[in-house]
């Protein structure tokens, strides 16, 4: 079994923790409410569905925004063909963007604004 995509996902717990009903949880990955209900009740989940659940609900990827251009960038990031310094800079940029999103969600000033005001 691939450790990156465990097959023992407890999707009902994931959905309840997210505060979503079945339609809200399953629609972003193209699964009907009734299909999702069957997975939550113990029906075996195909590996591609489990991978989509992980991408969308554990990693926060909006798969509806993935297009051919973005897919080529994702493939490059996942390959060993990218300069380590470029990859480190991208990680730093991603961390900054995530901090700014969290600050905006909590109505707190961005991290740089706090240090600039001091």
């Amino acid at each position: 079994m691939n450790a990156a995509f465990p097959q023992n996902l407890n999707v009902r717990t994931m959905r309840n923790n997210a505060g979503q009903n079945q339609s809200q949880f399953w629609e972003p990955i193209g699964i009907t409410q009734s299909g999702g209900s069957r997975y939550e009740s113990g029906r075996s989940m195909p590996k591609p569905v489990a991978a989509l659940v992980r991408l969308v609900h554990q990693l926060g990827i909006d798969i509806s925004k993935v297009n051919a251009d973005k897919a080529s960038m994702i493939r490059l990031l996942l390959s060993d063909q990218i300069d380590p310094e470029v990859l480190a800079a991208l990680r730093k940029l991603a961390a900054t963007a995530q901090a700014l999103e969290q600050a905006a969600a909590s109505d707190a000033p961005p991290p740089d604004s706090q240090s600039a005001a001091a």
Side-chain angles (χ1 to χ4, degrees):
M1 177 181 356
N2 185 343
F5 294 102
Q7 290 298 299
N8 59 346
L9 295 173
N10 187 332
V11 290
R12 179 175 288 149
T13 299
M14 289 173 65
R15 179 178 60 76
N16 288 334
N17 289 344
Q20 295 178 322
N21 64 37
Q22 288 178 333
S23 294
Q24 293 167 326
F25 184 86
W26 291 103
E27 186 273 329
I29 60 172
I31 303 293
T32 64
Q33 176 276 324
S34 60
S37 176
R38 286 190 286 275
Y39 295 138
E40 291 183 18
S41 297
R43 177 177 275 184
S44 178
M45 186 182 309
K47 287 181 184 182
V49 174
L52 288 171
V53 167
R54 183 167 188 273
L55 285 171
V56 172
H57 295 294
Q58 288 183 331
L59 301 177
I61 305 295
D62 182 349
I63 59 174
S64 70
K65 294 182 179 179
V66 176
N67 58 28
D69 183 49
K70 291 176 183 174
S72 67
M73 293 170 56
I74 292 166
R75 282 191 296 277
L76 176 62
L77 287 172
L78 295 174
S79 75
D80 292 329
Q81 299 174 355
I82 191 165
D83 183 295
E85 290 180 15
V86 172
L87 191 55
L90 289 171
R91 283 190 180 116
K92 185 175 180 180
L93 181 62
T96 300
Q98 185 176 20
L100 290 172
E101 286 177 10
Q102 290 172 348
S106 67
D107 293 328
D112 291 339
S113 300
Q114 292 174 352
S115 61

